Amino acid sequence: MSRNKVNVERVMRARRRRRKSCPFCADKTIVIDYKDGKLLRRFITERGKIVPRRVSGVCARHQRGLALAIKRGRHIAFLPFLATE
Amino acid sequence: MIRHEYETIYVTRPDIESDKQARIDDKLKGIVENKGGELFMFEQWGKRKLAYPIRRSLQGSYQYMHYAAPADLPVELERNMNLEDSLIRYITVRLNENVDVDVVRAGAEAAQAERVQRLGLSLGAESADEGDQDDVTEDAKDTKDTKDAKDTKDTKDTKDTKDTKGAEGAGKAKKED
């Protein structure tokens, strides 16, 4: 019974969620650049993980570019591989 | 000859002497220029905090090169970078394939301006303790002004600028001590 309740809540929450639009599609002037740590930091968690696009709302195409940029950024230490708190 | 547009960033240890830094810079610049490449821009991004320590170092000195070159040049460049102990990281990215070098050269300054603006670069004057880096910014500007007039001397100007900067940097570093 309790499990059922959880399911119902989840469905309701899902229904309420608004579809976010991709920030890179919305503003085509933004360049996804591995050198731009400030921009990329918005798409990693505090721990340093890449934010999934179901959370950030980034479209598939831009998420691919973003993931590549973040990985390059990590390599040259603009971004952390993992952040310790 | 097919040439591609590349950019390379390399990170050196922040604690090396400036003449050693200059030696590395000149060597890598020389490779680009002597092996069929054309260097459009060389930028000192100065000392920056690393997102994680690399070989116990929390800071790194960043250098940026924008150039066009045949495909085997970055290989040679990276081989040389691997030989430098105080070079802790590098990355080379092919920006565009089979480019018209003249076109890229013409747009290189605009690209630099855009880059500086977008990334908030202060071409070297990153941290307060970087006295010698202020010169870099000024020198770079001088180079730019002269460039408009004499297009063909572009890379030479840049090179001269860097050479003098290396010397000045050495002087300043001593002062800091």
Side-chain angles (χ1 to χ4, degrees):
Chain A
M1 188 200 110
S2 64
R3 183 199 259 177
N4 208 3
K5 212 178 196 173
V6 170
N7 275 343
V8 168
E9 270 173 28
R10 191 183 293 158
V11 168
M12 283 181 67
R13 221 182 303 143
R15 238 181 242 157
R16 247 183 284 132
R17 192 164 51 208
R18 212 175 72 248
R19 188 79 216 133
K20 286 187 226 158
S21 69
C22 174
F24 300 104
C25 291
D27 182 354
K28 302 238 179 196
T29 61
I30 304 176
V31 192
I32 299 177
D33 184 357
Y34 70 97
K35 301 186 289 298
D36 195 346
K38 214 167 92 192
L39 173 77
L40 298 179
R41 267 171 202 276
R42 298 204 332 238
F43 298 94
I44 62 174
T45 66
E46 278 177 34
R47 285 227 112 201
K49 292 169 146 187
I50 299 172
V51 175
R53 64 191 200 87
R54 82 182 117 81
V55 175
S56 61
V58 177
C59 73
R61 173 198 280 224
H62 286 121
Q63 179 77 5
R64 282 196 298 275
L66 201 51
L68 178 65
I70 289 169
K71 286 165 189 175
R72 284 174 174 167
R74 282 172 179 166
H75 176 70
I76 44 166
F78 287 160
L79 297 173
F81 279 101
L82 87 167
T84 46
E85 60 266 42
Chain B
M1 183 179 33
I2 294 175
R3 290 202 273 187
H4 309 297
E5 182 185 1
Y6 293 98
E7 67 181 7
T8 293
I9 296 177
Y10 60 92
V11 189
T12 47
R13 299 189 68 92
D15 48 12
I16 59 171
E17 306 80 37
S18 43
D19 55 333
K20 195 171 176 190
Q21 176 72 53
R23 188 183 59 73
I24 294 173
D25 294 347
D26 288 341
K27 185 174 137 194
L28 298 177
K29 276 190 277 185
I31 290 167
V32 172
E33 285 166 345
N34 299 327
K35 308 251 156 137
E38 178 158 341
L39 187 65
F40 302 122
M41 288 293 165
F42 181 88
E43 296 165 14
Q44 303 262 4
W45 288 3
K47 281 174 197 164
R48 291 179 168 217
K49 220 178 128 200
L50 302 173
Y52 50 90
I54 302 174
R55 289 196 237 158
R56 305 261 168 93
S57 185
L58 289 165
Q59 273 198 331
S61 177
Y62 283 78
Q63 275 74 229
Y64 173 91
M65 291 196 284
H66 178 203
Y67 55 99
D72 55 351
L73 193 141
V75 179
E76 175 67 7
L77 198 62
E78 296 193 345
R79 191 183 68 78
N80 277 275
M81 289 194 281
N82 282 331
L83 297 175
E84 293 293 341
D85 286 337
S86 40
L87 204 154
I88 53 182
R89 273 300 141 92
Y90 61 79
I91 187 170
T92 301
V93 175
R94 185 185 286 176
L95 300 173
N96 284 301
E97 298 192 349
N98 198 4
V99 292
D100 182 336
V101 174
D102 296 326
V103 171
V104 185
R105 189 197 299 120
E109 264 180 50
Q112 182 189 45
E114 189 271 342
R115 192 162 56 235
V116 168
Q117 212 252 324
R118 180 165 52 84
L119 303 178
L121 300 174
S122 39
L123 288 194
E126 206 63 44
S127 48
D129 60 345
E130 285 299 284
D132 54 334
Q133 297 293 358
D134 292 80
D135 303 331
V136 180
T137 327
E138 275 157 35
D139 287 352
K141 268 181 210 148
D142 293 346
T143 319
K144 245 191 238 171
D145 295 339
T146 46
K147 250 184 199 168
D148 295 330
K150 23 189 176 162
D151 215 20
T152 46
K153 286 181 75 180
D154 270 9
T155 42
K156 270 176 202 152
D157 283 357
T158 321
K159 208 179 173 191
D160 292 347
T161 314
K162 295 312 173 221
D163 289 342
T164 49
K165 176 216 62 227
E168 281 166 34
K172 288 249 175 138
K174 263 172 219 154
K175 226 185 281 170
E176 272 162 32
D177 294 340

